[in-house]
């Protein structure tokens, strides 16, 4: 392996996400400028570096030096020091100031900055305040270089350096050496596997207590990401042992120790010891407790003869409700908690509007909410009343995933007599817990949703578990009304829900394109979005949504997004774009927020459009306003020309395109197909094979999520 030492002349390209870097150096040997390529954090202009690697011949760019490592050396020549300082690396120093500093202090400039910063005031234009700013900035750069070098020496991308320095400041190196698993818990973007790589590199044993504890917490995190609130202790032990490659007895002992120390909590149920992370344990208990309290403390409404009140309203408004709808409206007046469920076309919207009219006539102050902005907008349009996202109702002010901070809580409850929440199937246990904490005593709580849709992306099956508990009144609407029944989409949705094949190609509203080859199917979807549907007057961005059962494969979300972006929003010379490890973002791109960001007020599943990219800032317009993202925040953002069916919940689109191919067989389920079809208002286009369609229809096995919410609500003994 050859080494070259030189001063960085230009930085041609850098990708902060995967650390791929291209730069040129002027070697000390006097040879001409050399192009360096490699995967490590980009150096700064003027820095002296030592690279180790080999020469390669690129088919387009010619001879290059492919570096395996890049070690940063403090510049020693006056010219190198001046170029380094002029690069902007140190806050408060530009090109002219760099020249004055080097002219005054010569080769000792960096030494003066580090050890004798008060002397910087000898240079014209530098006072005591600016000297201190320069000292602090240079010290931070020194620390950052040390962190980056440490990471790269231990086989980890140096691009994490800035995040680590920001999180831990001057103690960053101590954390890296002594407590590396803190990185996974405290630094955004660094997961357990990266922290584990560092820990093993610096000498941690495979069965080190810190490693075992971090592995258990990571396993529980993946369990929660799969929708579970808890996991049997035996399963937790087995998964942890496989993750860490340790003896199962060692993993079992570590799990027991965490339980004993109250780091984990348990419930005994049906001969199983179910293990919870504390935040999910308390969320589940709080949800059950508060729901029962709300059920039992509703204020009686005037009159009391609710059946008569509803019939009188029907006569005065010249409205005739179906029996199931009437039952639901009566229950809304009579009970503290009500669940209203039903499929498309069964009159949920009419029923909710009727509830609103009667409750408002009783003088009730009513709040309407939904888990996402798209669902809240639909609820507002359907009822003719204002509706908000639950995060806005609760007045989110910060916090992080799993631990949000809301202004509204038990000490500062919502000001309402009735709270109606739509799209209840999307409610996970954490959000439900926070919401119910903010419901005041005496307030009615009405949860509306389609229990046959996919469960929430987050942990728990709240709507299904509440219904299963039989602890609160539930009204299920089953009658499909004639006007709705005339829609082939609604007709087929109900057939799918019963396991029957939908009527295909009898109408342009519901099409099936039989294409066995998955690559051809993907190209067909691109052609539909880029050519066929626009020719019919549809906007491919606002009117069309491609949904996929999976992320990978030809017809998965990832590949479809790349192909759709290339067709709908290709690169243009002179137009700004910004590349990350996963995506290249451009103005005009349709994007989705992938996690709750309580500080910015944008939440998981929100859809927006990039309006501009400037100086590594990405501007995204959402329905409720614009958000600015820095480069380091772009891991929260994904392209959204295509999305998973799960991410589409709570939304409606004029046209839905759904690939159904053999490669998706793992995810082909009846409720997934049903959820996708019910997202469409005007047209459904299925692309794939009838065999895949039949697989989805036949698979009605919904994986039970580990949760005890139904049992807690039902009063079942847990001991």
């Amino acid at each position: 392996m050859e080494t070259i030492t030189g001063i960085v002349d230009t930085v041609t390209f850098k990708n902060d996400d995967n650390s791929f870097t291209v730069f040129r150096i002027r070697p000390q040997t006097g040879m001409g400028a050399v192009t360096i390529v490699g995967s490590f954090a980009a150096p700064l202009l003027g820095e002296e570096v030592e690279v180790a690697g080999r020469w390669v011949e690129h088919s387009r760019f010619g001879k290059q030096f492919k570096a395996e490592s890049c070690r940063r050396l403090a510049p020693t020549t006056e010219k190198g020091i001046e170029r380094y300082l002029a690069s902007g690396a140190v806050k408060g120093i530009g090109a002219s100031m760099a020249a004055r500093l080097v002219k005054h202090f010569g080769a000792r400039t960096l030494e003066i900055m580090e050890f004798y910063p008060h002397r910087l005031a000898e240079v014209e234009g530098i006072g005591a305040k600016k000297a201190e700013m320069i000292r602090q900035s240079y010290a931070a750069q020194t620390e950052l270089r040390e962190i980056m070098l440490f990471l790269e020496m231990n086989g980890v991308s140096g691009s994490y350096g800035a995040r680590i320095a920001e999180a831990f400041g001057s103690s960053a190196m101590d954390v890296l050496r002594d407590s590396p698993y803190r990185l996974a818990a405290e630094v955004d973007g660094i997961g357990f596997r990266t922290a584990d790589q560092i820990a093993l590199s610096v000498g941690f044993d495979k069965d080190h207590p810190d490693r075992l504890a971090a592995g258990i917490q990571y396993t529980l995190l993946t369990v929660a990401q799969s929708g579970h609130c808890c996991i049997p202790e035996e399963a937790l032990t087995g998964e942890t042992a496989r993750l860490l490659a340790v003896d199962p007895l060692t993993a079992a002992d570590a799990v027991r120790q965490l339980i004993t120390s109250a780091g984990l909590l348990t419930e005994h149920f049906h001969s199983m010891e179910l293990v919870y992370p504390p935040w999910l344990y308390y969320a589940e208990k709080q949800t059950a407790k508060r729901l029962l309290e709300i059920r039992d403390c509703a204020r009686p409404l005037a009159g009391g003869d609710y059946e008569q009140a509803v019939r009188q309203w029907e006569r005065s408004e010249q409205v005739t409700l179906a029996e199931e709808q009437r039952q639901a409206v009566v229950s809304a007046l009579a009970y503290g908690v009500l669940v209203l469920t039903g499929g498309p076309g069964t009159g949920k919207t009419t029923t909710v509007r009727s509830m609103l009219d009667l409750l408002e006539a009783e003088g009730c102050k009513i709040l309407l909410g939904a888990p996402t902005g798209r669902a809240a907008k639909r609820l507002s349009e359907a009822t003719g009343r204002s509706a908000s996202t639950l995060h806005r109702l609760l007045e989110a002010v910060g916090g992080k995933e799993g631990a949000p901070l809301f202004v509204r809580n038990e000490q500062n409850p919502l000001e309402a007599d009735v709270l109606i929440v739509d799209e209840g199937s999307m409610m996970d246990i954490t959000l439900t817990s926070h919401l119910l904490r903010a419901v005041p005593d005496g307030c009615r709580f009405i949860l509306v949703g389609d229990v046959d849709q996919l469960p929430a992306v987050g942990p728990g099956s709240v709507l299904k578990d509440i219904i299963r508990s039989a602890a609160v009144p539930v009204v299920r609407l089953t009658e499909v009304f004639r006007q709705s029944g005339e829609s082939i989409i609604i007709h087929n949705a109900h057939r799918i829900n019963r396991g029957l094949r939908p009527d295909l190609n009898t109408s342009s509203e519901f099409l099936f394109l039989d294409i066995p080859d998955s690559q051809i199917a993907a190209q067909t979807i691109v052609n539909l979005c880029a050519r066929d549907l626009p020719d019919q007057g549809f906007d491919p961005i606002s009117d069309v949504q491609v949904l996929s059962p999976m992320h990978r494969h030809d017809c998965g979300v990832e590949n479809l997004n790349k192909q759709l972006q290339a067709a709908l929003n290709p690169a243009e010379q002179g137009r700004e774009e910004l590349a990350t490890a996963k995506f290249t973002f451009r103005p005009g791109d349709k994007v989705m927020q992938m996690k709750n960001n309580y500080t910015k007020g944008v939440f998981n599943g929100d859809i927006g459009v990039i309006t501009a990219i400037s100086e590594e800032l990405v501007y995204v317009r959402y329905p409720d306003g614009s958000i600015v993202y820095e480069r380091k925040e772009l891991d929260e953002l994904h392209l959204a020309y295509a999305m998973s069916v799960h991410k589409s919940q709570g939304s409606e689109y004029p046209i839905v395109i759904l690939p159904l191919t053999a490669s998706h067989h793992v995810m082909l389920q009846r409720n997934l197909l049903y959820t996708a079809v019910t997202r469409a208002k005007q047209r459904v286009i299925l692309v794939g094979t009838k065999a895949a369609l039949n697989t989805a229809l036949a698979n009605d096995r919904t994986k039970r999520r580990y949760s005890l919410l139904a049992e807690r609500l039902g009063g079942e003994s847990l001991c």
Side-chain angles (χ1 to χ4, degrees):
M1 189 175 292
E2 187 176 345
T3 61
I4 303 175
T5 302
I7 293 173
V8 178
D9 185 67
T10 56
V11 178
T12 307
F13 177 81
K14 61 177 180 177
N15 187 324
D16 291 337
D17 294 280
N18 61 13
S19 297
F20 181 74
T21 299
V22 182
F23 61 95
R24 292 169 67 85
I25 66 172
R26 299 278 180 186
Q28 292 177 341
T29 58
M31 72 170 77
V34 175
T35 297
I36 311 294
V37 298
S39 293
F40 36 73
L44 298 166
L45 289 176
E47 273 196 309
E48 189 172 6
V49 297
E50 181 185 83
V51 292
R54 57 187 176 84
W55 291 98
V56 296
E57 189 72 28
H58 193 279
S59 59
R60 181 178 172 188
F61 300 110
K63 192 175 184 181
Q64 299 178 333
F65 191 81
K66 187 175 182 180
E68 300 295 327
S69 66
C70 176
R71 186 163 70 92
R72 292 159 175 82
L73 309 171
T76 55
T77 67
E78 291 186 8
K79 183 178 180 181
I81 293 170
E82 184 177 338
R83 285 178 63 87
Y84 166 66
L85 295 176
S87 71
V90 179
K91 189 176 179 180
I93 301 178
S96 61
M97 181 60 72
R100 292 205 299 273
L101 282 165
V102 174
K103 183 178 180 180
H104 189 82
F105 296 114
R108 294 188 64 202
T109 301
L110 298 182
E111 178 191 349
I112 298 295
M113 289 170 60
E114 185 171 3
F115 299 109
Y116 311 102
H118 63 281
R119 289 194 58 193
L120 296 175
E122 297 172 13
V123 177
E124 183 185 356
I126 300 179
K129 188 175 180 181
K130 188 166 185 175
E132 176 60 18
M133 181 181 70
I134 291 172
R135 183 198 69 77
Q136 290 180 0
S137 179
Y138 183 67
Q141 283 294 323
T142 303
E143 291 168 359
L144 180 57
R145 284 196 298 272
E146 187 180 6
I147 293 168
M148 292 166 72
L149 179 61
F150 178 90
L151 293 172
E152 289 166 4
M153 288 177 62
N154 288 282
V156 177
S157 168
S159 63
Y160 293 119
R163 296 182 183 184
I164 294 170
E166 185 179 353
F168 301 110
S170 60
S171 63
M173 289 303 302
D174 292 334
V175 172
L176 284 168
R177 283 189 287 260
D178 303 329
S179 308
Y181 293 104
R182 287 182 61 188
L183 301 176
E186 300 177 43
V187 182
D188 284 342
I190 298 183
F192 167 79
R193 295 186 184 278
T194 299
D196 193 46
Q197 183 179 342
I198 295 170
L200 294 174
S201 293
V202 300
F204 275 60
D205 295 330
K206 290 177 70 175
D207 58 354
H208 190 285
D210 288 359
R211 184 170 189 259
L212 294 170
I216 293 166
Q217 296 293 353
Y218 176 72
T219 301
L220 283 171
L221 178 62
T222 60
V223 165
Q225 290 171 341
S226 299
H228 303 286
C229 293
C230 53
I231 183 175
E233 184 178 346
E234 185 177 346
L236 175 60
T237 295
E239 290 296 323
T240 302
R242 280 189 287 275
L243 170 71
L244 302 179
V246 298
D247 185 88
L249 290 176
T250 301
D253 286 344
V255 170
R256 271 286 113 197
Q257 287 177 23
L258 276 177
I259 292 171
T260 303
S261 67
L264 302 175
L265 300 169
T266 63
E267 291 282 15
H268 191 77
F269 179 70
H270 287 190
S271 75
M272 290 188 299
E273 199 75 14
L274 293 171
V275 183
Y276 288 79
W279 60 284
L280 288 176
Y281 177 84
Y282 292 117
E284 192 179 273
K285 287 195 70 173
Q286 173 70 27
T287 295
K289 176 177 178 291
R290 190 63 190 138
L291 198 64
L292 295 175
E293 289 173 347
I294 296 168
R295 179 196 66 180
D296 295 337
C297 69
R299 298 188 186 96
L301 297 177
D305 191 342
Y306 305 122
E307 179 83 28
Q308 179 60 30
V310 174
R311 291 191 180 278
Q312 185 175 335
W313 174 83
E314 286 181 89
R315 287 193 296 271
S316 66
E317 297 295 321
Q318 298 183 337
V319 172
T320 303
L321 298 174
E323 184 55 40
E324 291 171 339
Q325 293 177 310
R326 188 177 298 109
Q327 180 191 349
V329 178
V330 169
S331 298
L333 298 173
Y335 300 115
V337 176
L338 171 68
V339 173
L340 175 66
T341 186
T346 58
K348 291 196 300 292
T349 299
T350 299
T351 306
V352 171
R353 284 201 298 258
S354 303
M355 291 176 182
L356 288 168
D357 285 350
L358 279 151
L359 289 164
E360 286 172 345
E362 291 287 339
C364 295
K365 182 177 181 180
I366 304 170
L367 293 178
L368 301 178
T372 68
R374 290 165 292 164
K377 184 180 179 183
R378 285 179 54 214
L379 179 60
S380 182
E381 291 170 348
T383 61
R385 292 146 169 108
S386 175
S388 302
T389 66
L390 299 181
H391 292 94
R392 287 186 171 82
L393 278 182
L394 295 173
E395 300 177 33
V397 291
K400 59 182 182 179
E401 202 75 24
L405 298 174
F406 297 111
V407 172
R408 297 291 181 174
N409 50 39
E410 56 268 52
Q411 281 79 43
N412 183 29
L414 297 166
E415 296 170 10
D417 301 306
V418 181
L419 172 63
I420 300 178
V421 175
D422 198 12
E423 295 293 347
S425 63
M426 300 179 67
M427 296 280 289
D428 65 29
I429 195 69
T430 306
L431 183 57
T432 305
S433 171
H434 283 285
L435 179 67
L436 295 180
R437 285 172 57 192
V439 175
D441 289 343
C443 179
R444 282 166 165 75
F445 177 59
I446 300 171
L447 188 61
V448 183
D450 186 349
V451 74
D452 294 321
Q453 289 190 26
L454 290 168
V457 174
S461 304
V462 172
L463 180 64
K464 186 174 288 185
D465 285 349
I466 292 174
I467 293 173
R468 188 166 60 86
S469 75
V472 302
V474 177
V475 177
R476 181 158 190 161
L477 305 178
T478 58
E479 181 182 348
V480 180
F481 294 95
R482 182 177 177 183
Q483 185 178 356
S484 299
E486 292 170 357
S487 164
I488 188 67
I489 296 174
I490 290 176
H491 167 78
N492 279 339
H494 286 279
R495 287 186 63 83
I496 290 167
N497 204 26
R498 297 195 301 271
L500 303 174
R501 178 181 284 189
D503 294 331
L504 304 175
N505 299 329
T506 60
S507 162
S508 61
E509 290 182 30
F510 207 103
L511 300 176
F512 183 89
L513 306 181
D514 196 345
I515 302 176
D517 186 280
S518 61
Q519 290 185 357
I520 297 175
Q523 187 57 54
T524 300
I525 291 170
V526 173
N527 292 341
L528 284 166
C529 295
R531 186 188 64 208
D532 300 345
L533 292 170
D535 287 349
Q536 298 172 38
F538 294 102
D539 185 320
I541 302 297
S542 59
D543 293 338
V544 182
Q545 185 59 59
V546 178
L547 305 179
S548 178
M550 295 187 73
H551 284 271
R552 301 189 183 275
H553 303 293
D554 293 325
C555 288
V557 171
E558 294 175 6
N559 183 56
L560 287 172
N561 265 321
K562 289 178 182 177
Q563 292 201 39
L564 287 165
Q565 183 193 43
L568 298 173
N569 193 27
E572 295 178 6
Q573 190 171 2
R575 187 169 66 145
E576 287 279 354
E577 60 180 42
L578 195 57
T580 70
K582 290 185 176 180
F583 306 104
T584 297
F585 293 112
R586 302 177 185 127
D589 276 335
K590 184 178 182 179
V591 292
M592 175 186 286
Q593 175 73 16
M594 300 302 291
K595 61 186 287 189
N596 292 329
N597 188 320
Y598 299 98
T599 303
K600 290 184 179 294
V602 61
F603 304 104
N604 190 350
D606 285 352
I607 299 287
V609 175
I610 296 177
T611 56
I613 297 175
S614 177
E615 298 180 350
E616 300 210 331
L617 298 176
V618 176
Y619 298 79
V620 181
R621 184 185 66 249
Y622 291 100
D624 293 327
S626 293
I627 301 291
V628 182
Y629 294 83
E630 298 177 33
R631 173 182 275 279
K632 66 181 181 182
E633 299 171 316
L634 291 181
D635 57 351
E636 299 182 12
L637 212 58
H638 281 201
L639 292 176
Y641 299 99
M643 70 176 73
S644 69
V645 178
H646 284 82
K647 286 291 188 181
S648 72
Q649 290 173 262
S651 301
E652 283 187 342
Y653 315 96
I655 298 175
V656 165
I657 301 175
L658 178 72
L660 291 171
T661 69
S663 58
H664 294 152
H665 67 92
V666 175
M667 293 295 294
L668 292 176
Q669 298 174 344
R670 189 185 300 174
N671 62 349
L672 182 141
L673 178 59
Y674 173 77
T675 300
V677 167
T678 55
R679 300 307 90 207
K681 294 190 291 186
Q682 298 179 30
R683 190 177 299 183
V684 172
I685 305 174
L686 306 179
V687 182
T689 68
K690 289 185 178 175
L693 174 61
N694 292 335
T695 298
L697 291 169
N699 184 8
D700 66 343
R701 300 184 302 276
T702 54
K703 188 176 180 182
R704 172 82 181 274
R705 294 183 168 188
Y706 285 114
S707 165
L708 293 178
L709 178 61
E711 287 72 22
R712 296 185 196 278
L713 286 167
E716 194 163 338
S717 176
L718 304 175
C719 59

